Amino acid sequence: EQGLMRGDVVILFARAPRLGAVKRRLARGIGAMAALRFYRAQLARTLRLARDPRWRVELAVTPDHGAARWPRGIARIPQGRGDLGVRMGRALGRHRRAVLVGSDIPDLSRADIAAAFRALGRAQAVFGPAEDGGYWLVGLGPRRPARPFAAVRWSGPHALGDTLANFAGRPIALLRRLRDVDTAADLAAIRRARR
């Protein structure tokens, strides 16, 4: 497919699915067991749609050495220490061209991932804007700023804007806006939109 290159990698950011350790803000609204069930189902779905012969898939996990049943046959790397930006920068920095996605985007499709790689054919970076001001996908090509995630205020309405400031003057691409699920209100909004 046009715009895709050998060596393209999809990095799926994932936390070991353990009760009380995943989706804590969501758990406050729906309970820890329901949040864990949602997370497990979402992680399995995201892994299914990420698997594609056009690219390789890598699971970037935290905690680094936590006991968890991860799927076989998928390369697994530790996220390591640091804030979200440091960890994402480290994971993306291992590859010439890569797209990183979270595991809490119910409307993510394989077409979104392919579109991100196509965008990297003409842009140095691609972002999937999220409803909350963050982003559900980031992809970087070989020409990128030294510190793409410097001075970003994470988990708030400024995350995308702060990151884009690090790419000032560089060609970037934006994908469609999606909602990631951090809270019970996010989950309710997605369910309403699907009805």
Side-chain angles (χ1 to χ4, degrees):
E1 187 178 332
Q2 194 176 5
L4 290 160
M5 297 169 76
R6 260 177 66 106
D8 282 345
V9 178
V10 173
I11 303 165
L12 178 60
F13 247 44
R15 180 172 286 281
R18 291 205 298 263
L19 187 65
V22 296
K23 305 309 296 171
R24 288 188 186 112
R25 284 192 292 164
L26 178 62
R28 282 201 287 271
I30 67 171
M33 199 64 220
L36 177 63
R37 270 196 301 271
F38 166 82
Y39 181 76
R40 277 195 174 131
Q42 199 50 50
L43 182 59
R45 178 191 172 276
T46 307
L47 271 167
R48 266 195 317 277
L49 71 84
R51 288 183 177 192
D52 190 283
R54 295 172 288 180
W55 50 72
R56 284 186 304 118
V57 177
E58 210 171 71
L59 205 49
V61 302
T62 188
D64 295 351
H65 306 291
R69 287 206 321 249
W70 297 109
R72 291 199 220 295
I74 292 186
R76 204 167 62 242
I77 59 163
Q79 288 183 20
R81 294 173 111 61
D83 72 9
L84 181 60
V86 168
R87 291 180 285 129
M88 290 195 316
R90 188 181 300 123
L92 286 160
R94 300 175 71 235
H95 305 288
R96 192 170 150 70
R97 259 180 38 137
V99 164
L100 185 148
V101 292
S103 45
D104 58 355
I105 309 111
D107 293 329
L108 177 72
S109 72
R110 190 172 284 132
D112 290 316
I113 296 171
F117 281 120
R118 278 195 305 277
L120 283 178
R122 60 187 184 277
Q124 292 178 16
V126 59
F127 296 91
E131 292 286 345
D132 63 6
Y135 42 97
W136 51 269
L137 175 148
V138 55
L140 299 181
R143 298 180 59 204
R144 57 185 79 161
R147 298 178 61 224
F149 306 110
V152 173
R153 291 168 283 179
W154 298 109
S155 300
H158 307 288
L160 179 59
D162 289 348
T163 306
L164 291 178
N166 294 322
F167 288 83
R170 294 169 182 262
I172 61 124
L174 296 176
L175 301 177
R176 66 189 180 124
R177 183 175 300 276
L178 292 178
R179 183 181 292 275
D180 53 357
V181 175
D182 293 319
T183 65
D186 294 331
L187 192 56
I190 282 172
R191 288 176 173 159
R192 271 197 310 277
R194 287 180 172 176
R195 279 203 292 272

